[in-house]
């Protein structure tokens, strides 16, 4: 290993090293921070530890056919074995390997199994996400206060609702206005259609239950683009369902297709790639952060950059790592860590449960084309009151498909004709749980005292696991969906333990949580550090609890809201 030489830090006073704002990270929240800061006139430095990825030109597999891949979509066994943590992830495929971090290139320490999926390039995991975008409700923000587990959120739905609308209009969210109090409606484009068997299940559930709903998912795919999307250079989703390769049409929302090009047009953005952030610089006399230390990923040379405002958006666990590594006389236990909670109360989602079933009906129907979406079941357990032996609840994503037609020995036109015929068989359907994992102090990350990466930065040591609450939730999921499928006339119902370990769903959160009390939290209601007013964290690290919704839409809204506040406070002279 060849670490940087701290004695070779570049000149501190050069004008090229000074900006109004610094954004660390270019994923979903970092892209939004860049867009909003530059849009408000701030000269903004955006730092990305990986390589540049330009929209369209740097999507090498976007237009490839399955037979054009050397391994027909499979990852060679040797590479899988060298990346045991990430290779079990659904996105670890031949067509996406260029966007996925390999374990052996960026090691970390697992005290318990953890599947940390990372994307070290411009756009980060915004190129790879599943695009599901549900709003939180007050049932979610009030969860910790209601059951007394963890700390109360410093915000409620009304605080963030206008910012949900703001980011939804720009990003482009497809969905249906369902009128559900536990899943607020948003600014939606035309919804996708549920399949006939999903509609049947929805209708049967409505007949048998008053508190459960099967709806079409809400997804960041442009079903009918508006002028704001064309202004971004994006076009209608082609329903190719190849989103994770990078979309040359800009049919789904990503940093690369949307927020970063928008920021670039302002002329206020400076993007620096191959820039590994070592730590945040704290000036004890000024009692504020003055900048960041950055290591060139290739030369290992360290440079310092300075700004009035710093937005930390490196992704939840990397943001924890940067703060833990940012020590000083004022913050010996990590930057802003007066409360001692930094790195603790890590949350994620529980994907252990799946239930599949078959329906003997709709024989004269089939599917046509593809759909980058699925049906969705909002949380229905412990919403209005505590009714189970576990806290919080779960949502579920759903998919369906026609049971196959016989194609043995068929090729060419014969195969094509056969596949276009309605099958005489019925339908298959499955529900996949997404459970809220309680943010516990025992679920934590910390710096390894001995092991370092290629840039001399301590490796992250993870100790995150399921508990009894999670497994009780899985059991209830099995029971409830088995009952729901049975009442709806489905057969061959199977419960499956997916064995998906923490991190396997990409939804790591916490460690830098928001809260009302500086003694028990890191950030206030504006995502601003209690202990250092010019540092903001708006990626997953800021989350106090995880709810049951996919979190990315909330990161976007929190980021836009925090930037608006930060710039106003800066111009008042308060930051």
């Amino acid at each position: 290993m060849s670490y940087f030489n701290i004695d070779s830090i570049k000149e501190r006073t050069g004008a090229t090293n000074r900006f109004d704002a610094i954004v660390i990270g270019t994923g979903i929240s970092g892209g939004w921070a860049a867009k909003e800061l530059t849009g408000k006139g701030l000269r903004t430095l955006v730092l990305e530890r990986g390589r540049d990825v330009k929209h369209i030109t740097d999507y090498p597999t976007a237009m490839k056919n399955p037979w054009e891949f050397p391994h027909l979509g499979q990852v060679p066994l040797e590479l899988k074995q060298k990346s045991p943590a990430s290779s079990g992830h659904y996105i670890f495929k031949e067509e996406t390997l260029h966007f996925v971090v390999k374990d052996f290139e960026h090691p970390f320490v697992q005290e318990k199994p953890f599947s940390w999926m990372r994307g070290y390039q411009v756009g980060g995991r915004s190129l790879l996400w599943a695009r599901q975008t549900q709003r939180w409700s007050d049932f979610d923000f009030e969860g910790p206060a209601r059951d007394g587990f963890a700390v109360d959120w410093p915000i409620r739905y009304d605080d963030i609702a206008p910012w949900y609308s703001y980011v939804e209009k720009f990003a482009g969210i497809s969905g249906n206005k369902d009128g559900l109090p536990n899943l607020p409606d948003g600014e939606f484009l035309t919804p996708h259609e549920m399949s006939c068997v999903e509609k049947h299940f929805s209708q049967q559930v409505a007949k048998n239950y008053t508190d459960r709903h099967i709806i079409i998912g809400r997804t960041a795919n442009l079903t009918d683009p508006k002028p704001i999307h064309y202004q971004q250079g994006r076009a209608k989703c082609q329903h190719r369902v190849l989103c994770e390769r990078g979309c040359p049409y800009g049919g789904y929302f990503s940093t690369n297709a949307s927020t970063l090009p928008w920021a670039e047009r302002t002329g206020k953005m400076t993007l620096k790639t191959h820039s590994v952030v070592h730590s945040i610089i704290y000036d004890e006399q000024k009692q504020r952060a003055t900048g960041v230390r950055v290591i060139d990923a290739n030369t290992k040379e360290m440079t310092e950059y300075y700004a009035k405002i710093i937005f930390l958006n490196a992704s939840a666990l990397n943001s924890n790592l940067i703060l833990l590594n940012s020590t000083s006389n004022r913050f010996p236990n990590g930057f802003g860590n007066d409360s001692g909670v930094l790195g603790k109360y890590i949350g994620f989602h529980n994907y252990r449960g799946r239930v599949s079933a078959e329906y003997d009906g709709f024989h004269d129907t089939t599917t046509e084309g593809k759909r980058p979406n699925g049906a969705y079941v909002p949380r229905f357990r412990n919403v209005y009151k505590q009714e189970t032996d576990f806290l919080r609840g779960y949502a579920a994503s759903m998919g369906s498909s026609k049971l196959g037609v016989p194609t043995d020995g068929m090729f060419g036109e014969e195969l094509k004709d056969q596949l276009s015929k309605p099958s005489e068989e019925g339908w298959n359907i499955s529900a996949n749980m997404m459970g809220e994992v309680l943010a516990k102090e025992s679920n934590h990350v910390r710096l390894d005292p001995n092991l370092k990466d290629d840039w001399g930065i301590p490796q992250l040591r993870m100790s995150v696991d399921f508990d009894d609450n999670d497994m009780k939730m899985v059991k209830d999921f099995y029971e409830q969906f088995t009952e729901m499928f049975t009442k709806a006339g489905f057969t061959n119902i199977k419960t499956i333990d997916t064995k998906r370990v923490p991190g396997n769903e990409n939804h790591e959160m916490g460690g830098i949580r928001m809260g009302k009390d500086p003694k028990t939290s890191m950030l206030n209601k504006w995502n601003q550090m209690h202990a250092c007013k010019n540092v903001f964290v708006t990626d997953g690290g800021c989350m106090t609890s995880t709810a049951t919704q996919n979190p990315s839409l909330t990161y976007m809204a929190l980021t836009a809201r925090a930037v608006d506040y930060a710039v106003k406070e800066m111009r008042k002279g308060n930051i």
Side-chain angles (χ1 to χ4, degrees):
M1 292 185 180
S2 56
Y3 302 157
F4 69 89
N5 179 1
I6 199 164
D7 294 326
S8 68
I9 296 176
K10 283 187 176 178
E11 172 61 38
R12 293 170 177 246
T13 59
T16 56
N17 287 32
R18 295 188 177 277
F19 299 85
D20 297 320
I22 293 174
V23 176
I24 303 170
T26 61
I28 278 180
S29 65
W32 268 99
K35 171 191 174 295
E36 295 300 300
L37 288 163
T38 56
K40 295 180 186 298
L42 273 65
R43 290 179 57 251
T44 304
L45 172 65
V46 180
L47 298 169
E48 168 55 50
R49 68 173 297 151
R51 63 188 174 90
D52 196 6
V53 172
K54 296 292 186 186
H55 179 51
I56 302 177
T57 58
D58 289 334
Y59 303 153
T61 63
M63 306 303 287
K64 282 191 174 183
N65 292 304
W67 55 86
E68 295 180 279
F69 291 93
H71 304 98
L72 301 180
Q74 298 298 310
V75 177
L77 179 60
E78 181 182 3
L79 184 54
K80 284 186 176 181
Q81 291 174 335
K82 291 173 66 178
S83 296
S86 55
S87 61
H89 196 281
Y90 70 88
I91 210 71
F92 198 86
K93 300 181 291 187
E94 187 174 22
E95 59 263 39
T96 55
L97 279 177
H98 51 290
F99 289 151
V100 175
V101 167
K102 286 72 176 176
D103 298 355
F104 60 92
E105 295 174 343
H106 298 274
F108 63 98
V109 182
Q110 301 177 67
E111 293 187 348
K112 299 171 184 176
F114 191 91
S115 180
W116 192 12
M117 178 55 61
R118 294 161 286 173
Y120 289 167
Q121 65 267 325
V122 168
R125 292 187 310 197
S126 78
L127 290 165
L128 300 166
W129 68 311
R131 308 167 311 286
Q132 289 292 294
T133 43
Q134 310 97 6
R135 293 188 180 197
W136 283 34
S137 73
D138 272 335
F139 296 109
D140 305 297
F141 287 112
E142 293 172 357
R146 188 172 56 187
D147 59 37
F149 197 94
V151 300
D152 188 14
W153 276 87
I155 62 173
R156 293 294 186 263
Y157 177 71
D158 285 346
D159 295 308
I160 195 173
W163 295 101
Y164 275 136
S165 293
Y166 178 78
V167 300
E168 285 167 343
K169 290 174 183 176
F170 190 85
I173 309 299
S174 164
N176 186 60
K177 290 188 179 294
D178 300 294
L180 304 177
N182 54 326
L183 197 75
D185 291 330
E187 310 291 339
F188 294 142
L189 304 176
T190 303
H192 291 103
E193 186 177 1
M194 287 196 288
S195 71
C196 57
V197 73
E198 291 165 353
K199 290 177 181 176
H200 168 75
F201 185 52
S202 178
Q203 293 162 359
Q204 293 302 308
V205 167
K207 287 181 182 179
N208 291 299
Y209 303 90
T210 59
D211 61 341
R212 308 181 188 192
H213 302 86
I214 316 300
I215 64 175
I216 189 62
R218 300 167 179 181
T219 182
N221 290 78
L222 298 180
T223 50
D224 60 323
K226 304 304 178 187
I228 188 62
H229 306 123
Y230 290 125
Q231 290 169 29
Q232 296 170 43
R234 299 169 61 198
K236 184 175 182 178
C237 173
Q238 303 297 300
H239 289 191
R240 302 189 315 146
V241 194
L242 301 174
C243 308
E244 64 273 12
R245 298 185 186 184
C247 180
Y249 307 98
Y252 76 93
F253 174 82
S254 69
T255 294
N256 310 66
S258 181
T259 47
L260 219 56
W262 195 270
E264 189 174 26
R265 291 179 203 171
T266 66
K268 298 289 185 179
M269 183 182 79
T270 299
L271 173 65
K272 288 190 178 293
T273 57
H274 302 290
S275 297
V276 181
V277 174
H278 174 275
S279 53
I280 296 175
I281 304 166
Y282 184 76
D283 187 310
E284 297 189 18
Q285 290 185 334
K286 296 179 180 179
Q287 297 184 345
R288 59 187 286 119
T290 55
V292 296
R293 301 181 186 92
V294 175
I295 303 170
D296 186 295
N298 298 316
T299 67
K300 307 297 196 301
E301 183 179 47
M302 178 178 275
T303 305
E304 294 183 352
Y305 297 97
Y306 303 93
K308 300 171 185 177
I309 299 175
I310 297 171
F311 267 72
L312 182 51
N313 300 93
S315 81
L317 298 184
N318 273 323
S319 289
N320 273 272
L321 190 159
I322 289 169
L323 293 177
L324 286 165
N325 200 46
S326 301
T327 56
S328 61
N329 290 331
R330 171 66 180 86
F331 298 120
N333 299 313
F335 197 97
N337 191 24
D338 290 349
S339 60
V341 301
L342 177 60
K344 300 176 183 178
Y345 301 98
I346 299 297
F348 53 97
H349 281 134
N350 180 357
Y351 274 69
R352 288 284 294 269
R354 180 183 299 156
V355 180
S356 67
E358 294 178 1
Y359 186 73
D360 187 15
F362 303 110
H363 298 291
D364 59 343
T365 61
T366 187
T367 55
E368 182 178 5
K370 297 181 179 180
R371 180 188 65 183
N373 198 359
Y376 183 75
V377 187
R379 170 185 167 186
F380 56 85
R381 297 302 253 171
N382 302 326
V383 176
Y384 292 95
K385 62 180 180 179
Q386 183 63 38
E387 58 190 352
T388 69
D389 63 348
F390 58 85
L391 295 178
R392 315 289 169 85
Y394 51 80
S397 59
M398 299 192 70
S400 62
S401 60
K402 188 81 168 178
L403 293 173
V405 296
T407 58
D408 292 348
M410 296 182 184
F411 299 94
E413 287 296 326
E414 183 184 14
L415 176 61
K416 182 178 178 180
D417 291 342
Q418 179 72 348
L419 289 173
S420 66
K421 295 177 182 176
S423 167
E424 295 181 2
E425 303 295 328
W427 287 76
N428 179 74
I429 194 168
S430 64
N432 301 276
M433 77 172 290
M434 191 166 92
E436 177 171 0
V437 171
L438 299 173
K440 305 181 292 292
E441 186 173 10
S442 59
N443 278 346
H444 71 277
V445 297
R446 63 188 191 277
L447 301 184
D448 190 279
N450 302 310
L451 297 173
K452 298 182 184 297
D453 64 17
D454 284 347
W455 300 273
I457 298 173
Q459 291 184 25
L460 200 60
R461 194 173 192 91
M462 301 189 191
S463 182
V464 179
D465 203 357
F466 294 112
D467 64 10
D468 289 342
N469 196 74
D470 300 315
M471 301 322 294
K472 288 177 180 177
M473 196 180 291
V474 173
K475 180 175 180 291
D476 187 77
F477 172 81
Y478 288 154
E479 293 171 351
Q480 297 306 311
F481 272 82
T482 296
E483 177 185 285
M484 290 158 67
F485 280 135
T486 300
K487 287 185 177 181
F490 288 76
T491 59
N492 195 24
I493 301 169
K494 298 177 181 178
T495 60
I496 302 125
D497 183 349
T498 67
K499 304 293 186 182
R500 288 175 69 171
V501 302
N504 194 255
E505 77 298 322
N506 288 349
H507 298 169
E508 58 270 9
M509 291 174 250
I512 320 169
R513 69 183 180 187
M514 298 170 71
K516 298 175 180 178
D517 188 348
K519 294 180 181 179
T520 57
S521 61
M522 296 279 292
L523 310 171
N524 67 13
K525 65 179 180 179
W526 302 107
N527 294 80
Q528 178 185 37
M529 274 208 170
H530 291 302
C532 186
K533 300 302 183 183
N534 66 328
V535 175
F536 293 78
V537 183
T538 62
D539 62 16
C542 77
M543 303 295 274
T544 305
S545 59
T546 70
T548 60
Q549 293 90 322
N550 297 67
S552 295
L553 182 69
T554 299
Y555 301 163
M556 297 186 215
L558 287 173
T559 301
R561 178 177 180 268
V563 170
D564 184 70
Y565 171 81
V567 174
K568 287 177 179 176
E569 289 296 293
M570 185 186 76
R571 289 174 176 162
K572 291 177 184 176
N574 296 332
I575 292 180

